[in-house]
Amino acid sequence: MKAPFAVCLLHEGMLNKNGKDVTTSLTLIDLHDISRSAKTYGLIQSYVAHPAILLRRLAGMLTNHWQYGYGSTYNPDRKAALDNLTVCENLEQILNDLKVKSGKPPKLIATSAKEGAGRITFAECKTILQEDQENSYLLMLGTGWGMTDQLLEKADYFLEPVRGPTPYNHLSVRSACAIILDRIFGK
Ligand SMILES: C[S@@+](CC[C@H](N)C(=O)[O-])C[C@H]1O[C@@H](n2cnc3c(N)ncnc32)[C@H](O)[C@@H]1O
């Protein structure tokens, strides 16, 4: 792939079960699993954004433990994954950081469990990443009941949903992330 690729987990601008725009809480296991998937599939960076300073500090305690604390020698494989995780306040901060790290202006790819118009297929996404030498790409992952339309509208592309053979459509964001990365980068 020519285009540098990163993933972010967002908590602001999410829907709750009643369709209201909310900020969701942080789930620490998401940070472990998403950064491990990102490392496995060769992403240049993984990000988590939360507007609440206390929750960013909590995320920072987790990354510090595995990067520099006892965890770094206890399990170096986990250190390697969490070394690539950056904690930010919001999407704008992530985009600025990715632009600096990749040296290329980032384009956004949204995800959702829902089908809808204007989605690109995994194959089309792969082709875009193989052909684009000008940009970096950021995969947007949501929490709660998914991203608000206002947030989704910021994306340059909207990826088709992951589907299984049953009508049950309730993957965790961690599982969805791993499957999406495998469909784009898997051998
Ligand atoms: C718990 S899910 C939210 C499900 C929500 N109903 C939606 O339509 O996105 C949280 C996040 O996981 C990701 N996700 C979950 N299921 C997915 C699927 N089948 N395909 C693509 N992404 C999915 C999306 O990033 C979503 O915002």
Side-chain angles (χ1 to χ4, degrees), residues 114-140:
K114 294 186 199 113
E115 313 255 358
R119 309 300 201 251
I120 57 166
T121 64
F122 293 106
E124 284 165 343
C125 183
K126 222 168 163 164
T127 306
I128 290 167
L129 298 176
Q130 276 159 352
E131 292 179 353
D132 189 352
Q133 303 194 23
E134 307 299 321
N135 299 286
S136 55
Y137 285 80
L138 181 68
L139 185 74
M140 300 162 76

Side-chain angles (χ1 to χ4, degrees), residues 9 14 110-114 122 140-147 159-163 169-174 176-177 180:
L9 180 67
M14 297 300 139
T111 60
S112 166
K114 294 186 199 113
F122 293 106
M140 300 162 76
L141 298 171
T143 44
W145 268 253
M147 293 178 253
L159 199 54
E160 66 174 322
V162 170
R163 280 162 301 210
N169 184 15
H170 301 283
L171 286 170
S172 70
V173 65
R174 308 182 291 284
C177 173
I180 291 169

Side-chain angles (χ1 to χ4, degrees), residues 143-163:
T143 44
W145 268 253
M147 293 178 253
T148 58
D149 285 344
Q150 208 184 355
L151 186 52
L152 289 168
E153 279 160 15
K154 292 183 194 268
D156 299 279
Y157 297 103
F158 202 149
L159 199 54
E160 66 174 322
V162 170
R163 280 162 301 210

Side-chain angles (χ1 to χ4, degrees), residues 33-47:
D33 287 1
I34 289 172
S35 55
R36 287 157 73 131
S37 296
K39 182 75 182 167
T40 303
Y41 289 95
L43 273 56
I44 71 161
Q45 192 67 37
S46 46
Y47 294 96

Side-chain angles (χ1 to χ4, degrees), residues 52-69:
I53 186 162
L54 282 177
L55 291 183
R56 289 201 302 282
R57 276 195 199 143
L58 180 63
M61 280 167 68
L62 174 107
T63 54
N64 275 339
H65 171 74
W66 291 103
Q67 288 172 348
Y68 311 110

